[in-house]
Each structure stands twice: as C-alpha cells, then as structure tokens.
Amino acid sequence: MHTVVVGTSGTTAEDVIAVARGNARIELSGEALDALARAREIVDALAAKPEPVYGVSTGFGALASRHISPELRAQLQRNIVRSHAAGMGPRVEREVVRALMFLRLKTVASGHTGVRPSVAQTMADVLNAGITPVVHEYGSLGCSGDLAPLSHCALTLMGEGDAEGPDGVVRPVGELLAEAGIRPVELKEKEGLALLNGTDGMLGMLVMALADLDKLYKSADITAALTLEALLGTEKVLAPELHAIRPHPGQGASAANMAAVLKGSGLTGHFQEESAPRVQDAYSVRCAPQVAGAGRDTMAHAALVASRELASAVDNPVVLPDGRVESNGNFHGAPVAYVLDFLAIAAADLGSIAERRTDRLLDKNRSHGLPPFLADDAGVDSGLMIAQYTQAALVSEMKRLAVPASADSIPSSAMQEDHVSMGWSAARKLRTAIDNLTRIIAIELYAATRAIELRHGLTAAPASLAAIAAARAAGVEGPGPDRFLAPDLAAADAFVRAGGLVAAVEPVTGPLA
C-alpha cells in the first residue's frame, strides 16, 4: 500500500487524494515528531504561568475573557469538542472526511499548534485503521475553521460518538477504537481548540474538485470535437496560430485537444457543400476552446490557492518558533471560498455550452442533415428529445449552484465572529455541480456518438472512432428505435465519470493537455 509521510512543511494535492480516495497509509516523520514535542514544551510552560493565554488558559470565542484554572482545563478541552460537534443533516462522504482529517493532521504536524506527538499519532492511527467519523452536512460557516465537521472528527479521537468502520458499518467509536487497538486521547491545554480550527474540509473538497474537473475538462474537449464532427463543422478555427494571438493558456490547450481528436476526420471540411452551406459554425461549437479554456485558467488559479493552503499551518492561536503563542485570523476561509465559487461558475458555463451543442445536434433545422432528435423513425420515435430535457434541467441547477456562497456572511458567537467565509457551503455545492457536469457531458457524448454513426458514408477521425468503440463496449448503445433511455444515459455517465472517455482517446491522440 502507498504510504504518505507527513512532515512539517505541508503536503501535496496528490497525497490528499491518495489518503482520501486511495486509503494510503500515513506515517509521521521524525522531523514532525520533534517539532510537535518542541511546540508542546512551549504550551506547557505557558500553561504553568499565572497570566491568561488564549486557547491555553482561557475560554473561547466570545467567552475568551474568562481565565480557566488548571483543574478545569482538561474539562474545557473536552467540552469544546463535545459542544462544537453540533452538525446536522446527511452524512458527508467518506472521502471528504478522510481528506478533512488528513489535512488537520498536516497542520498539527507543522509544530505550530502545540498538540502533543501522541495526539498526532492517534490521528494517523485512526485514518490507517479505516475509521471514518460521522460528519454532517451542516455546521460550518467557514470561519474559525470548519468547526463542527472537525469537532466530530476530534470527538472520535476522544472515543465518543459514532463512526464508520472499515467494513462500512456505522458503530459507536469506542468499539471501533478498541478493535483497532487504539487508546482514546485525553486532551490537554489547547489541544481541543487546535483540532477544530482549520480550513481543512473546504480545502480537501477543493483538491478533489480540481482532480475531477481536470478529467471533465478533457472529456468536454473530446465531446465538443465529436459534436463538431457530427455537425460537419470546420476544424480550421482550432489552428494554433489563431489561439497564439490571444494567448490564454487554457484556450490554447483546449483547442489543441480538439484538434488532436479531429485529426484525420472525414466529417470536417464540408463547409461549403450545397447540402450544408454556412459561413461559420455557431458559437457553441466555434467558441468551445474559449469557454473551456477560461475554465481551465480558472482551475489554474484555484490550484495555486490550494497549493498555498496545503503549505499552510492554519490554527488560532499558533506557536511561533521564538516561543510566542499569538492569536491570528488565518483560519478565515475567504481565499479557498472564493476559488470554490469561481470554479462553480466556470463549471456551470461549461455545462451550458455543452447543452447548447447537444440541442443543435437534435434540431433538424440546425443539424445539417441529421434526423429530428436523432430518432430512428421520427414521429414514431422521439429519439433523444427528453435526454436534452434532462440535460437542460441539470444546467439550470448548475446555474443556481453558481450563485456564490462566499458573497454571504452571517454573524455568530455573539458578534465576535462577525464575518465568515461560507467556504464549506461553497465546497458542498461545487461537489453537486461537478456531479451534474459529469452527467451533462455524458449526454453530449451520447448524442454526438449517435449523430456521427448516422453520418453514413463519412468516416470519423480515428480518435473519435476509438471513443465510440469504447463507449459501446461500456454499454452506451448506438442508434436504433426508441428504448428505455435511462440505463443508456447511466452507462454514459459511468463511462465519463471513471475517465473512460479520456482513456479511450489518448492512445490515439497522445496525452491531452
């Protein structure tokens, strides 16, 4: 099994995905264990002093003015975890919770939190045992970190609450820890607070969203090329010299991908034929690289923000190398929240342009000779009429999901926390948007492959033929009389979601950008 070693300098997106989705094993480096021990010595020294220090010997948030006596401090740390584990609603996905816990461990291991090495080791042990805390949909405002989600994870370290075991069954945490040979932690000064104060949930979802969108943008370039072929469009608009004079990197990459898919096509180049005369392709076809490219550039910006956050130690207060323990606002989720919302906007536009291309394939007045709705016997058969309705409904929801969560703020903690990021909400709706985008691209794939097969006497590009063959092998059926359509669309969705479309094309085109 792949092993991820956690040090003091952050982590990578690849490691987050390996832990969240690949169940990679986690080890703490010797450097991290030493840094943890040094920071803990500082916290212990401050705890022994009579002067109050926030998070060490005071209450929290709006209650920070109360000095807590030594005999109540362990109770204080337990209580903050229990009281903050106040989430409600459906369970959050296992991969999100694993990313959340791993990223909190990343910050703990930095040596800036004051958490003992034994607590960090327990965090790693819980992940390695395949124990996943039950975390709920609602509870984070994306400021002071993802408080409620992280609290449910910290509760698991204490041996309380419920969690999913490695067998997928939810049981009391105490039972699961005992079976794994893990001793629950007894939290000391600052540790409860340090386990809750991070942007880890929204960051984990951002990292996974970027991985998913990378695959979907390549898939969308392929389906756009298939649609261009099916509509007997021109590939001349993809010429690299045209994109060089507007040098947005994403635009050039998308155009190059489409050109690679279309290389050797017998369906392009019919622009001026009497059967399909036109001057230019419609925007949804001609401007595909510009729209997808803008989304790719948005992803590049989001990836830069994610890389900075992955290198960060997010806690309040933090332990500095000179021995100071200082309050700060680094837990505010604005940087992550903004790009999560930006990605949702870009994804909605990509879904929108894909739906317009699909509609063009189905309209006999705009499809340049294809049968109405790509039906076998139009009138008797409805063809893909309602598949486009489904696609349109998904696009409409994506537009609603594109409304930014980060433009909102709602005060909390008796106005102490009076401006919040709503980054968790931005991340949750982005995950839904990505699910919808996958389905939208799958429907375009379904329509475009059928349309190409209806162009009798013309041969598609080798890459297109490879995509069609792989789709058919995956259960995505071709032209014919009306049938129960939902299973076909589900097969197309599964094919795109698993990366099958990109995998089918790249042996012909070479790696897509």
Side-chain angles (χ1 to χ4, degrees):
M1 181 183 290
H2 178 60
T3 298
V4 170
V5 178
V6 181
T8 59
S9 57
T11 190
T12 66
E14 292 76 17
D15 283 346
V16 174
I17 292 171
V19 172
R21 292 177 168 171
N23 299 313
R25 184 170 181 79
I26 300 162
E27 292 181 4
L28 292 167
S29 71
E31 174 196 31
L33 292 170
D34 291 343
L36 284 159
R38 288 195 301 271
R40 187 64 210 180
E41 290 174 359
I42 294 170
V43 170
D44 286 341
L46 289 171
K49 292 183 177 181
E51 297 85 8
V53 177
Y54 177 71
V56 176
S57 53
T58 70
F60 309 113
L63 303 177
S65 59
R66 178 177 171 181
H67 182 255
I68 307 299
S69 58
E71 66 272 13
L72 293 177
R73 290 176 189 170
Q75 181 180 340
L76 170 70
Q77 299 302 320
R78 288 194 301 272
N79 284 352
I80 190 175
V81 173
R82 289 168 175 164
S83 65
H84 285 46
M88 294 184 74
R91 281 181 58 195
V92 172
E93 303 85 359
R94 181 178 185 270
E95 67 178 18
V96 172
V97 179
R98 286 184 61 82
L100 169 80
M101 291 183 69
F102 174 66
L103 287 168
R104 194 71 220 137
L105 176 58
K106 174 268 297 182
T107 281
V108 165
S110 70
H112 289 294
T113 68
V115 169
R116 289 169 293 157
S118 60
V119 176
Q121 186 60 57
T122 302
M123 296 171 75
D125 291 344
V126 168
L127 282 164
N128 289 339
I131 297 170
T132 307
V134 172
V135 173
H136 299 279
E137 180 83 14
Y138 302 107
S140 174
L141 300 179
C143 206
S144 284
D146 291 315
L147 283 174
L150 282 163
S151 297
H152 283 275
C153 295
L155 198 67
T156 296
L157 302 179
M158 292 166 49
E160 301 180 18
D162 294 322
E164 179 185 301
D167 58 358
V169 177
V170 174
R171 288 191 284 149
V173 167
E175 295 178 12
L176 292 169
L177 294 184
E179 289 176 8
I182 300 171
R183 184 187 298 274
V185 299
E186 293 285 344
L187 297 176
K188 297 185 68 174
E189 290 94 343
K190 194 184 178 302
E191 290 181 331
L193 183 62
L195 295 175
L196 315 185
N197 239 325
T199 56
D200 310 292
M202 64 183 93
L203 176 59
M205 286 185 275
L206 172 60
V207 168
M208 289 186 285
L210 286 168
D212 293 338
L213 286 168
D214 177 69
K215 177 172 58 185
L216 287 175
Y217 270 83
K218 291 175 183 176
S219 298
D221 289 341
I222 296 168
T223 59
L226 294 172
T227 297
L228 185 151
E229 272 193 296
L231 293 172
L232 304 178
T234 179
E235 78 286 6
K236 291 182 179 180
V237 296
L238 305 175
E241 56 269 26
L242 293 175
H243 298 278
I245 62 175
R246 194 189 190 196
H248 293 288
Q251 175 180 325
S254 283
N257 284 348
M258 290 180 66
V261 173
L262 291 170
K263 186 176 181 180
S265 175
L267 286 163
T268 60
H270 301 275
F271 229 56
Q272 301 303 323
E273 292 185 2
E274 291 185 7
S275 61
R278 74 201 106 136
V279 177
Q280 301 177 114
D281 284 319
Y283 283 9
S284 60
V285 177
R286 188 177 6 135
C287 302
Q290 285 77 8
V291 172
R296 286 169 168 272
D297 291 342
T298 300
M299 288 171 56
H301 171 60
L304 176 62
V305 171
S307 70
R308 291 169 176 163
E309 198 76 359
L310 287 167
S312 300
V314 179
D315 193 17
N316 180 47
V318 291
V319 181
L320 296 173
D322 61 7
R324 287 179 294 150
V325 175
E326 297 284 2
S327 292
N328 65 90
N330 283 343
F331 50 74
H332 200 288
V336 181
Y338 292 166
V339 294
L340 287 163
D341 280 333
F342 200 175
L343 289 172
I345 292 168
D349 202 33
L350 186 65
S352 179
I353 197 170
E355 182 275 330
R356 287 294 80 206
R357 289 193 296 263
T358 303
D359 184 64
R360 186 165 289 271
L361 288 168
L362 305 187
D363 184 350
K364 70 180 182 64
N365 296 311
R366 295 179 292 141
S367 66
H368 308 289
L370 291 169
F373 303 106
L374 305 181
D376 186 65
D377 184 5
V380 175
D381 294 316
S382 294
L384 307 191
M385 180 191 295
I386 307 304
Q388 185 269 329
Y389 283 36
T390 299
Q391 198 182 38
L394 291 163
V395 169
S396 182
E397 184 180 31
M398 288 192 72
K399 291 174 182 177
R400 295 191 295 273
L401 292 167
V403 175
S406 58
D408 185 29
S409 176
I410 189 163
S412 56
S413 192
M415 292 299 288
Q416 176 72 5
E417 298 168 8
D418 59 352
H419 186 277
V420 296
S421 77
M422 301 308 295
W424 174 274
S425 298
R428 297 305 295 165
K429 69 184 182 64
L430 177 59
R431 283 178 69 85
T432 302
I434 289 172
D435 274 347
N436 286 353
L437 179 60
T438 306
R439 298 179 182 110
I440 289 164
I441 292 170
I443 292 172
E444 183 180 17
L445 171 70
Y446 190 71
T449 55
R450 177 184 282 215
I452 287 173
E453 290 183 316
L454 290 171
R455 291 292 189 188
H456 304 297
L458 297 172
T459 303
S464 302
L465 294 174
I468 293 169
R472 300 294 175 256
V476 183
E477 298 293 337
D482 281 358
R483 57 183 170 269
F484 181 22
L485 203 53
D488 280 6
L489 299 182
D493 174 43
F495 179 63
V496 171
R497 195 174 296 273
L501 180 57
V502 177
V505 164
E506 286 190 326
V508 181
T509 62
L512 297 177

